[in-house]
Amino acid sequence: MRVVVGQGSCGIASGAKKTAAEFEKQIADRNLGINVETTGCVGTCYLEPIVDIYDDEGKMTRYVKVQPADVNEIVESHLINKKVAEDKSISEEDQQFVAKQQRVVLRNCGIINPEDIEDYIAVDGYKAIEKVLGSMKPEEVIEEIKISGLRGRGGAGFPTWFKWNAAKQSPGKEKYLVCNADEGDPGAFMDRSVLEGDPHSLIEGMIIGGYAMGASQGVIYCRAEYPLAIKRLEIAMAQAREKGFLGKNIFGSGFDFDIYIKAGAGAFVCGEETALIASLEGERGMPRLKPPFPAAKGFWQKPTDINNVETLANVPWIIYNGGAAFGAMGTEQSKGTKVFALAGKIKKGGLVEVPMGMTLKEVLYGIGGGIKNDRKFKAVQMGGPSGGCIPAELIDTPVTYEDINKTGAIVGSGGMIVMDEDTCMVDMARYFLNFTRDESCGKCNYCRIGTKRMLEILERITKGEGRDGDIEKLEELAVKIKDGSLCGLGQTAPNPVLTTLKYFRNEYEDHIYNHKCTAASCKALVTYTITDKCTGCTACSRKCPVGAITGTVKNQHVIDKEKCIKCGKCLETCRFGAIEKK
C-alpha cells in the first residue's frame, strides 16, 4: 500500500505539506510501514490537498481537500480497516474533471514522483530518446514532428518542425536549444505544473530537439518566482546525468547534450524571443529587429531554437507513439491537445488538457463545471494580456488557433480567465492594459507612451470621468500602437481593449454618458441604498467602518452618500436583502 500526496504549488499552498507530515506521523505511530510519497498537481487544483492511496494491486482511491485534521479518519478507516472513508473521497462528478480530458502533456502529472527518475522510467520515460538515437536520423525526427502537426504552444502557434529545421540548416557547429519557461500571463500556470509534476518529459523533449537540430547545449529560462519548479528540474537533471541520459555520449551514441537553468526576473517582455536571448546574455530584456531570426543568429549570435515547456513536453510522446497518433487528435489545422488553465469565476479551477477543436462551452461547462454560484456567464479572456475577451454569445466557438483568432482573441499559452455578470468589462480592459504598460520594456515610443495614454483614458472612464470622444481616441491609439510597436507585447497590448469595445461597447457608453457601471463593479460609479425591507436590526450600522449608516432599532436605516466609502460591508452583513447596489 502507498500514500501519495499531491505537492505542486497549489497543493502546498492549500496545506499539503502539513497533511503529508501528519500521515507520516500517524503511520509511524501505528508502525504501519507504509510509504508517504510525493507527486505533482493532477490538475484539480480546486480540490487540493489531494491524497491518493494505492492498494497492493495498484487500485487507487482519491481523497480530496484533506487537511491534517482529516488524516486520522483516513488512516483508521482505509489504512487499518481497509474501508474507504467515503466522506473525504472524491465525488463521481469531480472524477469527470480528469476523465473527460485527453492527456499527453499532463500524462504523468499527479501520477509519478517528479523527484524520482525511476518513476518516469517506469512509464516508458527516456524510451523516445533511446529510439531516436538508436534508429533515427535528425531529418527523420523532424519529419515525425512535421507529421504530428505540432505547433508552438507558447502563443504564436508556429509549426515546431519548421523552427527545428531552420536551426538545423543554419551553418555552424555551435547551436542552442532554449526552453522558454518564463510563464508570465496572469492566470496561467500550465508550464509550472509540468515543471513541478513531470520535469523529465521536458528534459527528454529537449534532448530530442537538440539531436534533431544539431545542438549540444540546452538552456531552460525559468522565472525565479518558480522556486519549486527550479528545484525539481535540478533534481531531475542530476538524476538524468547519473543515468547517462544527459551529458556526454548519451546511450553510447556519441551524441552529447546537456542543459542548464537560467533564472529570469519575471519580465513579461521576455516572452519575445530576442528579448529572452538578450536576458540570457546578461543584458536588459529588450527585443531587437528581425531578421536575422534566432534560427540564424540567436544566443551569442549562434543558431538558436526557442520553444516553450508545453511544446517540448509533447515531443517524447510524439516520437514514442508516432506523429500520426498525435495528428489524429484535434482538427486538420490545429492538431493534438492543448493545456488550459481555468481561473476566475469558474467552479472547478485548475488545469485541463483537451483535443483542439473542443468548444469553449464543453471546456467551461462540461469540464470546468460552469460559473461559480451559478451566475450568468459573461465572457472569457483568452491569451492573457495579448489576447482578448470572448463574449457569451460565442461560447460555441471551437478552441482552435483559427477560430479563436477570428473572435479577436488568441489561444496564447492557454490561460482562460472566466468572467460572470458582475465583471465590468471596462475595468477588465483597464487591468490588462495596466499589466502591459508596467511590463513594457520602453524601447518603442508607441508601446511605452501609447499604452500609458490608453490606460489614463480607461482609468478616467472607470472613475466616472469619461469624456465624449474617449472611445474613438482609444481606437485610434490602439491602431497606432499595434502598427508602431517592435515586438508582440506592444503589437497585442490593445487587444483586450479592442475586443471589449467590439463586444461590450455599451458598457463603455454607460460609463461615459450615463455615469453608470453596467456590472455595478466600479467603485466610483456604485451607490448603496437601504430599501424598505430594512427591519432595523442595526447590523449594517455596526459593521460600517466609517459610520455612514444611521437609524434606530426596528426602523429603516439610511446611508449617508457623502460618508460612504463603498466598501460593501453593509451588503455582506444584511440578512434581509435590504441593501441595493446600483
Side-chain angles (χ1 to χ4, degrees):
M1 190 173 283
R2 298 160 52 222
V3 175
V4 182
V5 182
Q7 294 190 58
S9 288
C10 54
I12 292 170
S14 300
K17 279 191 176 296
K18 292 179 181 178
T19 298
E22 186 64 22
F23 266 106
E24 289 172 348
K25 179 181 181 299
Q26 296 209 24
I27 287 170
D29 289 346
R30 291 169 170 81
N31 198 26
L32 297 178
I34 296 171
N35 289 330
V36 178
E37 302 171 18
T38 296
T39 190
C41 173
V42 75
T44 50
C45 306
Y46 69 103
L47 295 175
E48 296 285 1
I50 295 171
V51 177
D52 294 335
I53 297 181
Y54 293 83
D55 64 21
D56 294 336
E57 283 73 48
K59 181 184 177 183
M60 185 264 283
T61 301
R62 175 159 291 163
Y63 294 101
V64 298
K65 299 181 179 179
V66 182
Q67 295 297 331
D70 304 314
V71 172
N72 184 66
E73 179 189 350
I74 296 171
V75 169
E76 289 283 349
S77 180
H78 198 130
L79 301 187
I80 295 175
N81 296 316
K82 314 301 183 198
K83 290 175 64 178
V84 175
E86 297 288 353
D87 60 322
K88 295 304 297 182
S89 64
I90 191 169
S91 68
E92 285 189 24
E93 180 186 345
D94 286 326
Q95 287 180 42
Q96 296 306 304
F97 184 92
V98 174
K100 290 181 178 179
Q101 299 179 38
Q102 195 164 351
R103 295 190 154 204
V104 175
V105 173
L106 302 180
R107 60 193 179 276
N108 299 322
C109 291
I111 297 172
I112 67 169
N113 184 345
E115 298 182 14
D116 188 348
I117 194 171
E118 297 299 338
D119 271 23
Y120 185 67
I121 291 171
V123 291
D124 296 323
Y126 292 106
K127 289 285 181 66
I129 185 59
E130 186 177 12
K131 174 183 176 181
V132 163
L133 296 180
S135 62
M136 297 178 75
K137 297 176 181 177
E139 297 81 5
E140 293 173 322
V141 176
I142 292 173
E143 181 62 23
E144 205 64 44
I145 298 300
K146 184 178 181 179
I147 290 169
S148 76
L150 177 65
R151 295 167 65 172
R153 296 310 199 230
F158 201 76
T160 303
W161 76 269
F162 190 93
K163 293 178 74 172
W164 285 14
N165 196 50
K168 180 183 184 301
Q169 292 181 347
S170 293
K173 290 186 178 180
E174 189 179 350
K175 299 179 181 181
Y176 294 93
L177 174 59
V178 176
C179 172
N180 179 3
D182 191 55
E183 189 172 48
D185 289 11
F189 47 95
M190 300 75 61
D191 291 350
R192 187 196 72 206
S193 185
V194 174
L195 297 175
E196 293 176 355
D198 188 17
H200 288 284
S201 67
L202 169 62
I203 294 167
E204 187 175 10
M206 289 185 71
I207 301 169
I208 294 169
Y211 173 78
M213 61 174 279
S216 59
Q217 183 66 63
V219 185
I220 299 173
Y221 185 85
C222 184
R223 54 180 41 223
E225 292 97 327
Y226 283 0
L228 182 60
I230 291 173
K231 174 192 170 187
R232 288 181 177 168
L233 274 170
E234 288 173 339
I235 291 170
M237 289 191 299
Q239 292 175 344
R241 289 190 192 101
E242 191 176 333
K243 287 280 187 181
F245 300 155
L246 191 63
K248 299 286 187 182
N249 194 26
I250 299 172
F251 282 108
S253 65
F255 173 62
D256 302 337
F257 188 84
D258 211 337
I259 301 170
Y260 71 88
I261 298 169
K262 166 69 175 179
F268 184 65
V269 72
C270 287
E272 199 280 334
E273 292 183 332
T274 59
L276 187 154
I277 289 169
S279 181
L280 276 179
E281 293 173 345
E283 303 293 330
R284 185 178 176 188
M286 299 177 80
R288 60 165 171 77
L289 284 169
K290 293 182 286 189
F293 291 94
K297 287 187 177 182
F299 188 39
W300 302 126
Q301 297 299 299
K302 305 297 182 183
T304 303
D305 174 77
I306 301 177
N307 299 116
N308 86 319
V309 173
E310 185 181 342
T311 306
L312 291 163
N314 274 299
V315 170
W317 191 96
I318 291 170
I319 296 299
Y320 187 69
N321 295 279
F326 188 83
M329 296 181 278
T331 67
E332 184 59 33
Q333 296 299 315
S334 298
K335 297 186 176 184
T337 63
K338 179 73 187 79
V339 181
F340 293 99
L342 299 183
K345 304 293 184 68
I346 190 85
K347 285 182 180 178
K348 300 177 181 180
L351 290 173
V352 302
E353 184 174 1
V354 297
M356 297 289 272
M358 182 177 279
T359 66
L360 283 170
K361 186 174 184 178
E362 290 174 291
V363 175
L364 300 181
Y365 283 86
I367 298 176
I371 312 305
K372 270 184 183 176
N373 303 316
D374 295 318
R375 305 289 286 172
K376 185 179 178 183
F377 170 62
K378 190 171 190 177
V380 58
Q381 172 81 9
M382 286 192 65
S386 301
C389 290
I390 302 174
E393 58 263 31
L394 297 180
I395 194 171
D396 291 316
T397 301
V399 180
T400 67
Y401 290 104
E402 297 74 27
D403 289 299
I404 296 299
N405 286 351
K406 287 175 187 175
T407 69
I410 59 173
V411 170
S413 59
M416 285 189 181
I417 299 180
V418 181
M419 291 162 268
D420 67 11
E421 58 194 309
D422 294 330
T423 305
C424 173
M425 303 312 293
V426 184
D427 192 52
M428 181 59 64
R430 181 206 58 77
Y431 168 81
F432 281 110
L433 201 66
N434 182 61
F435 179 88
T436 46
R437 189 279 310 265
D438 284 347
E439 294 292 336
S440 172
C441 73
K443 187 171 186 176
C444 308
N445 288 343
Y446 276 107
C447 183
R448 183 181 73 249
I449 302 171
T451 54
K452 182 174 176 60
R453 295 288 91 88
M454 286 185 76
L455 179 61
E456 287 170 350
I457 294 171
L458 289 170
E459 286 176 337
R460 280 198 292 100
I461 293 173
T462 55
K463 289 177 182 176
E465 299 168 4
R467 305 167 190 161
D468 191 23
D470 275 349
I471 292 175
E472 292 72 20
K473 181 61 70 176
L474 284 171
E475 291 172 327
E476 180 187 354
L477 283 167
V479 172
K480 290 180 177 178
I481 293 166
K482 288 173 79 73
D483 290 344
S485 296
L486 175 61
C487 83
L489 186 150
Q491 291 163 8
T492 60
N495 284 352
V497 179
L498 290 174
T499 52
T500 50
L501 278 171
K502 180 179 180 180
Y503 299 116
F504 301 97
R505 197 180 191 92
N506 65 301
E507 295 202 16
Y508 284 83
E509 292 169 346
D510 266 356
H511 279 71
I512 295 169
Y513 301 114
N514 300 326
H515 299 287
K516 174 187 174 185
C517 176
T518 316
S521 172
C522 295
K523 265 192 176 184
L525 299 175
V526 168
T527 58
Y528 289 89
T529 306
I530 299 177
T531 70
D532 56 11
K533 292 181 182 178
C534 178
T535 63
C537 72
T538 75
C540 60
S541 62
R542 284 182 276 117
K543 285 288 184 180
C544 180
V546 293
I549 302 175
T550 57
T552 55
V553 177
K554 296 186 179 181
N555 290 303
Q556 185 175 345
H557 284 43
V558 177
I559 298 176
D560 185 334
K561 301 294 191 295
E562 296 297 320
K563 286 185 178 180
C564 179
I565 59 172
K566 302 173 184 180
C567 64
K569 288 288 184 183
C570 56
L571 185 63
E572 294 172 12
T573 304
C574 184
R575 295 179 290 112
F576 304 100
I579 311 286
E580 281 188 354
K581 178 184 176 184
K582 292 183 179 179

